């Protein structure tokens, strides 16, 4: 069975940095595009970053461009999200997800359970 397990969330001050990790198992990791989503209470789910199978293409939501960096290590079946200059509005549950088609946008097939990020002012 496919499992995606996020880690690295926590409490951080505004302006600080945090690195999220997502370890994948049960799938051929290098065959999947990977994405990071976030959802705060009362807000819609938002795709904030995505990366292609080999890491050659990336996508970032406008709200995080220049602050967040997505990367992957296919040898470790892991995708990362390096977050810098964090803002209180970044506070949300962060989820990683896997997508088995070429497009970085659209429906993702598999999802992790999420990790909470809270940014204090």
């Amino acid at each position: 069975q496919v499992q995606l397990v996020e880690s690295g969330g926590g409490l951080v001050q505004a302006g600080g940095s945090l690195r999220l990790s997502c370890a994948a198992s049960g799938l051929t990791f290098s065959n999947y595009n990977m994405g990071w989503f976030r959802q705060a209470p009362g807000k819609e789910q938002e795709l904030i970053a995505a990366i292609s199978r080999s890491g050659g293409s990336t996508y970032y939501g406008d709200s995080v461009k220049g602050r967040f960096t997505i990367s992957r290590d296919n040898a470790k079946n892991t995708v990362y999200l390096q977050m810098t200059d964090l803002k209180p509005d970044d506070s949300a549950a962060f989820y990683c997800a896997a997508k088995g088609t070429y497009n970085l946008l659209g429906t993702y097939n598999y999802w992790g359970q999420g990790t909470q990020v809270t940014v204090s002012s």
Side-chain angles (χ1 to χ4, degrees), residues 2-9 19-25 27 29 32-37 49 51 69-82 94-99 108 110-115:
V2 175
Q3 290 191 52
L4 304 176
V5 181
E6 302 96 336
S7 61
R19 189 194 196 203
L20 305 183
S21 299
C22 174
S25 61
L27 78 171
F29 184 71
Y32 286 83
N33 300 314
M34 299 297 298
W36 284 97
F37 293 77
I51 189 167
T69 301
I70 189 170
S71 62
R72 66 191 295 162
D73 187 340
N74 286 349
K76 296 181 178 179
N77 286 3
T78 302
V79 62
Y80 305 94
L81 185 67
Q82 179 66 51
F94 282 69
Y95 301 87
C96 68
K99 189 176 191 293
Y108 280 69
Y110 303 107
W111 293 79
Q113 295 299 308
T115 186

Side-chain angles (χ1 to χ4, degrees), residues 2 8-9 14 16 22 30 36-37 39-40 43 45 52 54 59 61 63 71 76 78-79 84-85 88 95 97-98:
V2 175
C22 174
S30 61
W36 284 97
F37 293 77
Q39 187 167 27
K43 297 184 179 179
Q45 187 182 73
S52 61
S54 64
Y59 163 86
S63 63
S71 62
K76 296 181 178 179
T78 302
V79 62
T84 62
D85 192 25
Y95 301 87

Side-chain angles (χ1 to χ4, degrees), residues 60-69 84-85:
Y60 295 98
D62 289 342
S63 63
V64 306
K65 286 180 179 177
R67 298 190 297 121
F68 292 8
T69 301
T84 62
D85 192 25

